PDB file of all heavy atoms in Angstrom:
ATOM      1  N   THR J  25      -9.080  21.155   3.533  1.00 82.00           N
ATOM      2  CA  THR J  25     -10.460  21.186   3.050  1.00 82.00           C
ATOM      3  C   THR J  25     -11.084  19.807   3.014  1.00 82.00           C
ATOM      4  O   THR J  25     -12.172  19.642   2.484  1.00 82.00           O
ATOM      5  CB  THR J  25     -10.529  21.804   1.649  1.00 82.00           C
ATOM      6  OG1 THR J  25      -9.745  21.016   0.749  1.00 82.00           O
ATOM      7  CG2 THR J  25     -10.056  23.238   1.652  1.00 82.00           C
ATOM      8  N   LEU J  26     -10.422  18.803   3.575  1.00 89.00           N
ATOM      9  CA  LEU J  26     -10.884  17.423   3.434  1.00 89.00           C
ATOM     10  C   LEU J  26     -12.247  17.201   4.069  1.00 89.00           C
ATOM     11  O   LEU J  26     -12.969  16.294   3.676  1.00 89.00           O
ATOM     12  CB  LEU J  26      -9.843  16.481   4.057  1.00 89.00           C
ATOM     13  CG  LEU J  26      -9.931  15.014   3.683  1.00 89.00           C
ATOM     14  CD1 LEU J  26      -9.801  14.832   2.184  1.00 89.00           C
ATOM     15  CD2 LEU J  26      -8.850  14.218   4.406  1.00 89.00           C
ATOM     16  N   ASN J  27     -12.592  18.035   5.037  1.00 89.00           N
ATOM     17  CA  ASN J  27     -13.858  17.870   5.739  1.00 89.00           C
ATOM     18  C   ASN J  27     -15.062  17.914   4.804  1.00 89.00           C
ATOM     19  O   ASN J  27     -16.115  17.375   5.120  1.00 89.00           O
ATOM     20  CB  ASN J  27     -14.020  18.958   6.806  1.00 89.00           C
ATOM     21  CG  ASN J  27     -12.940  18.858   7.867  1.00 89.00           C
ATOM     22  OD1 ASN J  27     -12.233  17.869   7.971  1.00 89.00           O
ATOM     23  ND2 ASN J  27     -12.814  19.916   8.660  1.00 89.00           N
ATOM     24  N   TYR J  28     -14.940  18.557   3.666  1.00 91.00           N
ATOM     25  CA  TYR J  28     -16.056  18.734   2.754  1.00 91.00           C
ATOM     26  C   TYR J  28     -16.190  17.601   1.742  1.00 91.00           C
ATOM     27  O   TYR J  28     -17.115  17.603   0.926  1.00 91.00           O
ATOM     28  CB  TYR J  28     -15.916  20.060   2.010  1.00 91.00           C
ATOM     29  CG  TYR J  28     -15.815  21.254   2.922  1.00 91.00           C
ATOM     30  CD1 TYR J  28     -14.593  21.897   3.133  1.00 91.00           C
ATOM     31  CD2 TYR J  28     -16.928  21.737   3.591  1.00 91.00           C
ATOM     32  CE1 TYR J  28     -14.494  22.981   3.979  1.00 91.00           C
ATOM     33  CE2 TYR J  28     -16.834  22.830   4.440  1.00 91.00           C
ATOM     34  CZ  TYR J  28     -15.617  23.448   4.627  1.00 91.00           C
ATOM     35  OH  TYR J  28     -15.517  24.527   5.464  1.00 91.00           O
ATOM     36  N   TYR J  29     -15.286  16.649   1.796  1.00 94.00           N
ATOM     37  CA  TYR J  29     -15.219  15.614   0.774  1.00 94.00           C
ATOM     38  C   TYR J  29     -15.549  14.224   1.308  1.00 94.00           C
ATOM     39  O   TYR J  29     -15.263  13.896   2.464  1.00 94.00           O
ATOM     40  CB  TYR J  29     -13.808  15.560   0.171  1.00 94.00           C
ATOM     41  CG  TYR J  29     -13.489  16.719  -0.736  1.00 94.00           C
ATOM     42  CD1 TYR J  29     -13.121  17.950  -0.214  1.00 94.00           C
ATOM     43  CD2 TYR J  29     -13.554  16.572  -2.112  1.00 94.00           C
ATOM     44  CE1 TYR J  29     -12.829  19.016  -1.036  1.00 94.00           C
ATOM     45  CE2 TYR J  29     -13.250  17.641  -2.957  1.00 94.00           C
ATOM     46  CZ  TYR J  29     -12.898  18.857  -2.403  1.00 94.00           C
ATOM     47  OH  TYR J  29     -12.610  19.905  -3.237  1.00 94.00           O
ATOM     48  N   THR J  30     -16.142  13.425   0.444  1.00 96.00           N
ATOM     49  CA  THR J  30     -16.187  11.982   0.662  1.00 96.00           C
ATOM     50  C   THR J  30     -14.763  11.460   0.520  1.00 96.00           C
ATOM     51  O   THR J  30     -14.036  11.859  -0.388  1.00 96.00           O
ATOM     52  CB  THR J  30     -17.087  11.320  -0.394  1.00 96.00           C
ATOM     53  OG1 THR J  30     -18.450  11.649  -0.114  1.00 96.00           O
ATOM     54  CG2 THR J  30     -16.908   9.817  -0.400  1.00 96.00           C
ATOM     55  N   VAL J  31     -14.360  10.580   1.429  1.00 97.00           N
ATOM     56  CA  VAL J  31     -13.019  10.010   1.379  1.00 97.00           C
ATOM     57  C   VAL J  31     -13.123   8.489   1.376  1.00 97.00           C
ATOM     58  O   VAL J  31     -13.902   7.909   2.137  1.00 97.00           O
ATOM     59  CB  VAL J  31     -12.165  10.481   2.567  1.00 97.00           C
ATOM     60  CG1 VAL J  31     -10.795   9.813   2.535  1.00 97.00           C
ATOM     61  CG2 VAL J  31     -12.004  12.001   2.539  1.00 97.00           C
ATOM     62  N   ALA J  32     -12.344   7.876   0.518  1.00 98.00           N
ATOM     63  CA  ALA J  32     -12.327   6.413   0.437  1.00 98.00           C
ATOM     64  C   ALA J  32     -10.898   5.903   0.497  1.00 98.00           C
ATOM     65  O   ALA J  32      -9.963   6.601   0.101  1.00 98.00           O
ATOM     66  CB  ALA J  32     -12.996   5.945  -0.849  1.00 98.00           C
ATOM     67  N   TRP J  33     -10.770   4.699   1.004  1.00 98.00           N
ATOM     68  CA  TRP J  33      -9.490   3.998   0.997  1.00 98.00           C
ATOM     69  C   TRP J  33      -9.552   2.894  -0.036  1.00 98.00           C
ATOM     70  O   TRP J  33     -10.544   2.154  -0.118  1.00 98.00           O
ATOM     71  CB  TRP J  33      -9.182   3.409   2.361  1.00 98.00           C
ATOM     72  CG  TRP J  33      -8.768   4.418   3.377  1.00 98.00           C
ATOM     73  CD1 TRP J  33      -9.573   5.035   4.298  1.00 98.00           C
ATOM     74  CD2 TRP J  33      -7.460   4.935   3.588  1.00 98.00           C
ATOM     75  NE1 TRP J  33      -8.835   5.909   5.062  1.00 98.00           N
ATOM     76  CE2 TRP J  33      -7.525   5.858   4.650  1.00 98.00           C
ATOM     77  CE3 TRP J  33      -6.214   4.708   2.989  1.00 98.00           C
ATOM     78  CZ2 TRP J  33      -6.407   6.560   5.118  1.00 98.00           C
ATOM     79  CZ3 TRP J  33      -5.113   5.403   3.462  1.00 98.00           C
ATOM     80  CH2 TRP J  33      -5.209   6.310   4.512  1.00 98.00           C
ATOM     81  N   PHE J  34      -8.477   2.790  -0.807  1.00 98.00           N
ATOM     82  CA  PHE J  34      -8.310   1.742  -1.792  1.00 98.00           C
ATOM     83  C   PHE J  34      -7.003   1.018  -1.496  1.00 98.00           C
ATOM     84  O   PHE J  34      -6.148   1.524  -0.774  1.00 98.00           O
ATOM     85  CB  PHE J  34      -8.238   2.335  -3.209  1.00 98.00           C
ATOM     86  CG  PHE J  34      -9.514   2.970  -3.671  1.00 98.00           C
ATOM     87  CD1 PHE J  34      -9.898   4.213  -3.204  1.00 98.00           C
ATOM     88  CD2 PHE J  34     -10.329   2.322  -4.582  1.00 98.00           C
ATOM     89  CE1 PHE J  34     -11.085   4.810  -3.637  1.00 98.00           C
ATOM     90  CE2 PHE J  34     -11.509   2.906  -5.026  1.00 98.00           C
ATOM     91  CZ  PHE J  34     -11.881   4.150  -4.548  1.00 98.00           C
ATOM     92  N   ARG J  35      -6.841  -0.156  -2.069  1.00 98.00           N
ATOM     93  CA  ARG J  35      -5.565  -0.845  -1.960  1.00 98.00           C
ATOM     94  C   ARG J  35      -5.269  -1.577  -3.256  1.00 98.00           C
ATOM     95  O   ARG J  35      -6.176  -1.932  -4.007  1.00 98.00           O
ATOM     96  CB  ARG J  35      -5.570  -1.817  -0.782  1.00 98.00           C
ATOM     97  CG  ARG J  35      -6.511  -3.004  -0.931  1.00 98.00           C
ATOM     98  CD  ARG J  35      -6.510  -3.813   0.357  1.00 98.00           C
ATOM     99  NE  ARG J  35      -7.371  -4.989   0.265  1.00 98.00           N
ATOM    100  CZ  ARG J  35      -7.629  -5.794   1.281  1.00 98.00           C
ATOM    101  NH1 ARG J  35      -7.091  -5.558   2.490  1.00 98.00           N
ATOM    102  NH2 ARG J  35      -8.415  -6.852   1.106  1.00 98.00           N
ATOM    103  N   GLN J  36      -3.983  -1.753  -3.481  1.00 98.00           N
ATOM    104  CA  GLN J  36      -3.543  -2.488  -4.657  1.00 98.00           C
ATOM    105  C   GLN J  36      -2.397  -3.397  -4.260  1.00 98.00           C
ATOM    106  O   GLN J  36      -1.325  -2.918  -3.863  1.00 98.00           O
ATOM    107  CB  GLN J  36      -3.120  -1.554  -5.786  1.00 98.00           C
ATOM    108  CG  GLN J  36      -2.817  -2.285  -7.074  1.00 98.00           C
ATOM    109  CD  GLN J  36      -2.770  -1.367  -8.273  1.00 98.00           C
ATOM    110  OE1 GLN J  36      -2.603  -0.154  -8.152  1.00 98.00           O
ATOM    111  NE2 GLN J  36      -2.936  -1.933  -9.460  1.00 98.00           N
ATOM    112  N   ALA J  37      -2.649  -4.685  -4.358  1.00 97.00           N
ATOM    113  CA  ALA J  37      -1.633  -5.679  -4.060  1.00 97.00           C
ATOM    114  C   ALA J  37      -0.824  -5.966  -5.320  1.00 97.00           C
ATOM    115  O   ALA J  37      -1.308  -5.748  -6.438  1.00 97.00           O
ATOM    116  CB  ALA J  37      -2.297  -6.955  -3.545  1.00 97.00           C
ATOM    117  N   PRO J  38       0.399  -6.461  -5.169  1.00 92.00           N
ATOM    118  CA  PRO J  38       1.234  -6.760  -6.337  1.00 92.00           C
ATOM    119  C   PRO J  38       0.524  -7.700  -7.303  1.00 92.00           C
ATOM    120  O   PRO J  38      -0.006  -8.744  -6.902  1.00 92.00           O
ATOM    121  CB  PRO J  38       2.463  -7.428  -5.726  1.00 92.00           C
ATOM    122  CG  PRO J  38       2.526  -6.892  -4.332  1.00 92.00           C
ATOM    123  CD  PRO J  38       1.097  -6.730  -3.910  1.00 92.00           C
ATOM    124  N   GLY J  39       0.471  -7.300  -8.561  1.00 94.00           N
ATOM    125  CA  GLY J  39      -0.128  -8.131  -9.582  1.00 94.00           C
ATOM    126  C   GLY J  39      -1.640  -8.158  -9.595  1.00 94.00           C
ATOM    127  O   GLY J  39      -2.245  -8.924 -10.350  1.00 94.00           O
ATOM    128  N   LYS J  40      -2.259  -7.331  -8.759  1.00 96.00           N
ATOM    129  CA  LYS J  40      -3.720  -7.319  -8.688  1.00 96.00           C
ATOM    130  C   LYS J  40      -4.261  -5.933  -9.012  1.00 96.00           C
ATOM    131  O   LYS J  40      -3.549  -4.935  -8.960  1.00 96.00           O
ATOM    132  CB  LYS J  40      -4.186  -7.751  -7.297  1.00 96.00           C
ATOM    133  CG  LYS J  40      -3.857  -9.198  -6.962  1.00 96.00           C
ATOM    134  CD  LYS J  40      -4.511  -9.610  -5.665  1.00 96.00           C
ATOM    135  CE  LYS J  40      -4.250 -11.088  -5.366  1.00 96.00           C
ATOM    136  NZ  LYS J  40      -4.906 -11.520  -4.099  1.00 96.00           N
ATOM    137  N   GLU J  41      -5.543  -5.887  -9.327  1.00 96.00           N
ATOM    138  CA  GLU J  41      -6.195  -4.625  -9.596  1.00 96.00           C
ATOM    139  C   GLU J  41      -6.459  -3.876  -8.290  1.00 96.00           C
ATOM    140  O   GLU J  41      -6.586  -4.474  -7.226  1.00 96.00           O
ATOM    141  CB  GLU J  41      -7.503  -4.853 -10.351  1.00 96.00           C
ATOM    142  CG  GLU J  41      -7.320  -5.384 -11.755  1.00 96.00           C
ATOM    143  CD  GLU J  41      -8.625  -5.451 -12.525  1.00 96.00           C
ATOM    144  OE1 GLU J  41      -9.687  -5.156 -11.936  1.00 96.00           O
ATOM    145  OE2 GLU J  41      -8.584  -5.778 -13.716  1.00 96.00           O
ATOM    146  N   ARG J  42      -6.567  -2.579  -8.411  1.00 96.00           N
ATOM    147  CA  ARG J  42      -6.915  -1.762  -7.263  1.00 96.00           C
ATOM    148  C   ARG J  42      -8.335  -2.070  -6.823  1.00 96.00           C
ATOM    149  O   ARG J  42      -9.223  -2.241  -7.663  1.00 96.00           O
ATOM    150  CB  ARG J  42      -6.780  -0.289  -7.625  1.00 96.00           C
ATOM    151  CG  ARG J  42      -6.967   0.667  -6.478  1.00 96.00           C
ATOM    152  CD  ARG J  42      -6.736   2.086  -6.951  1.00 96.00           C
ATOM    153  NE  ARG J  42      -7.692   2.485  -7.959  1.00 96.00           N
ATOM    154  CZ  ARG J  42      -7.521   3.505  -8.800  1.00 96.00           C
ATOM    155  NH1 ARG J  42      -6.402   4.211  -8.745  1.00 96.00           N
ATOM    156  NH2 ARG J  42      -8.446   3.805  -9.677  1.00 96.00           N
ATOM    157  N   GLU J  43      -8.567  -2.144  -5.518  1.00 97.00           N
ATOM    158  CA  GLU J  43      -9.898  -2.431  -5.017  1.00 97.00           C
ATOM    159  C   GLU J  43     -10.295  -1.413  -3.945  1.00 97.00           C
ATOM    160  O   GLU J  43      -9.453  -0.940  -3.171  1.00 97.00           O
ATOM    161  CB  GLU J  43      -9.984  -3.845  -4.426  1.00 97.00           C
ATOM    162  CG  GLU J  43      -9.160  -4.077  -3.191  1.00 97.00           C
ATOM    163  CD  GLU J  43      -9.482  -5.376  -2.472  1.00 97.00           C
ATOM    164  OE1 GLU J  43     -10.681  -5.761  -2.437  1.00 97.00           O
ATOM    165  OE2 GLU J  43      -8.550  -6.003  -1.942  1.00 97.00           O
ATOM    166  N   GLY J  44     -11.574  -1.081  -3.940  1.00 97.00           N
ATOM    167  CA  GLY J  44     -12.103  -0.197  -2.906  1.00 97.00           C
ATOM    168  C   GLY J  44     -12.237  -0.955  -1.604  1.00 97.00           C
ATOM    169  O   GLY J  44     -12.674  -2.102  -1.576  1.00 97.00           O
ATOM    170  N   VAL J  45     -11.837  -0.304  -0.506  1.00 98.00           N
ATOM    171  CA  VAL J  45     -11.824  -0.939   0.802  1.00 98.00           C
ATOM    172  C   VAL J  45     -12.880  -0.345   1.722  1.00 98.00           C
ATOM    173  O   VAL J  45     -13.638  -1.076   2.353  1.00 98.00           O
ATOM    174  CB  VAL J  45     -10.432  -0.794   1.434  1.00 98.00           C
ATOM    175  CG1 VAL J  45     -10.436  -1.272   2.873  1.00 98.00           C
ATOM    176  CG2 VAL J  45      -9.395  -1.544   0.618  1.00 98.00           C
ATOM    177  N   SER J  46     -12.924   0.981   1.789  1.00 98.00           N
ATOM    178  CA  SER J  46     -13.846   1.625   2.709  1.00 98.00           C
ATOM    179  C   SER J  46     -14.096   3.060   2.267  1.00 98.00           C
ATOM    180  O   SER J  46     -13.255   3.659   1.589  1.00 98.00           O
ATOM    181  CB  SER J  46     -13.264   1.614   4.132  1.00 98.00           C
ATOM    182  OG  SER J  46     -14.192   2.141   5.059  1.00 98.00           O
ATOM    183  N   CYS J  47     -15.245   3.577   2.664  1.00 97.00           N
ATOM    184  CA  CYS J  47     -15.627   4.931   2.259  1.00 97.00           C
ATOM    185  C   CYS J  47     -16.379   5.607   3.388  1.00 97.00           C
ATOM    186  O   CYS J  47     -17.125   4.943   4.124  1.00 97.00           O
ATOM    187  CB  CYS J  47     -16.508   4.851   1.013  1.00 97.00           C
ATOM    188  SG  CYS J  47     -16.902   6.441   0.252  1.00 97.00           S
ATOM    189  N   ILE J  48     -16.181   6.923   3.529  1.00 97.00           N
ATOM    190  CA  ILE J  48     -16.931   7.684   4.528  1.00 97.00           C
ATOM    191  C   ILE J  48     -17.414   8.976   3.890  1.00 97.00           C
ATOM    192  O   ILE J  48     -16.653   9.678   3.229  1.00 97.00           O
ATOM    193  CB  ILE J  48     -16.077   7.951   5.795  1.00 97.00           C
ATOM    194  CG1 ILE J  48     -16.918   8.625   6.875  1.00 97.00           C
ATOM    195  CG2 ILE J  48     -14.817   8.764   5.493  1.00 97.00           C
ATOM    196  CD1 ILE J  48     -16.248   8.618   8.253  1.00 97.00           C
ATOM    197  N   SER J  49     -18.686   9.248   4.069  1.00 95.00           N
ATOM    198  CA  SER J  49     -19.273  10.442   3.476  1.00 95.00           C
ATOM    199  C   SER J  49     -19.011  11.667   4.343  1.00 95.00           C
ATOM    200  O   SER J  49     -18.831  11.553   5.558  1.00 95.00           O
ATOM    201  CB  SER J  49     -20.776  10.253   3.300  1.00 95.00           C
ATOM    202  OG  SER J  49     -21.051   9.279   2.330  1.00 95.00           O
ATOM    203  N   SER J  50     -19.035  12.827   3.719  1.00 91.00           N
ATOM    204  CA  SER J  50     -18.828  14.071   4.461  1.00 91.00           C
ATOM    205  C   SER J  50     -20.118  14.604   5.047  1.00 91.00           C
ATOM    206  O   SER J  50     -20.102  15.300   6.053  1.00 91.00           O
ATOM    207  CB  SER J  50     -18.211  15.133   3.543  1.00 91.00           C
ATOM    208  OG  SER J  50     -19.121  15.438   2.493  1.00 91.00           O
ATOM    209  N   THR J  51     -21.244  14.266   4.436  1.00 89.00           N
ATOM    210  CA  THR J  51     -22.511  14.861   4.860  1.00 89.00           C
ATOM    211  C   THR J  51     -23.058  14.242   6.142  1.00 89.00           C
ATOM    212  O   THR J  51     -23.343  14.954   7.105  1.00 89.00           O
ATOM    213  CB  THR J  51     -23.552  14.725   3.751  1.00 89.00           C
ATOM    214  OG1 THR J  51     -23.608  13.353   3.336  1.00 89.00           O
ATOM    215  CG2 THR J  51     -23.168  15.584   2.552  1.00 89.00           C
ATOM    216  N   ASP J  52     -23.185  12.915   6.154  1.00 89.00           N
ATOM    217  CA  ASP J  52     -23.782  12.258   7.318  1.00 89.00           C
ATOM    218  C   ASP J  52     -22.860  11.259   7.991  1.00 89.00           C
ATOM    219  O   ASP J  52     -23.261  10.579   8.929  1.00 89.00           O
ATOM    220  CB  ASP J  52     -25.092  11.562   6.925  1.00 89.00           C
ATOM    221  CG  ASP J  52     -24.892  10.490   5.882  1.00 89.00           C
ATOM    222  OD1 ASP J  52     -23.736  10.257   5.482  1.00 89.00           O
ATOM    223  OD2 ASP J  52     -25.903   9.892   5.454  1.00 89.00           O
ATOM    224  N   GLY J  53     -21.622  11.153   7.499  1.00 90.00           N
ATOM    225  CA  GLY J  53     -20.669  10.242   8.116  1.00 90.00           C
ATOM    226  C   GLY J  53     -20.946   8.777   7.852  1.00 90.00           C
ATOM    227  O   GLY J  53     -20.351   7.909   8.505  1.00 90.00           O
ATOM    228  N   SER J  54     -21.834   8.477   6.907  1.00 95.00           N
ATOM    229  CA  SER J  54     -22.125   7.079   6.604  1.00 95.00           C
ATOM    230  C   SER J  54     -20.884   6.391   6.065  1.00 95.00           C
ATOM    231  O   SER J  54     -20.048   7.010   5.408  1.00 95.00           O
ATOM    232  CB  SER J  54     -23.273   6.971   5.604  1.00 95.00           C
ATOM    233  OG  SER J  54     -22.985   7.700   4.430  1.00 95.00           O
TER     234      SER J  54
END
């Protein structure tokens, strides 16, 4: 069902906070 969802990638390096890396929308692919 992933096609209907916004999906984002995050990363967390050792000793650091999680950070947002990239995002893609389901509606218009932005």
Side-chain angles (χ1 to χ4, degrees):
T25 60
L26 197 59
N27 297 346
Y28 303 105
Y29 287 80
T30 288
V31 177
W33 286 95
F34 293 76
R35 67 185 181 186
Q36 187 164 20
K40 294 188 177 181
E41 293 186 356
R42 186 177 63 199
E43 66 168 323
V45 172
S46 185
C47 187
I48 186 166
S49 292
S50 63
T51 52
D52 61 2
S54 56

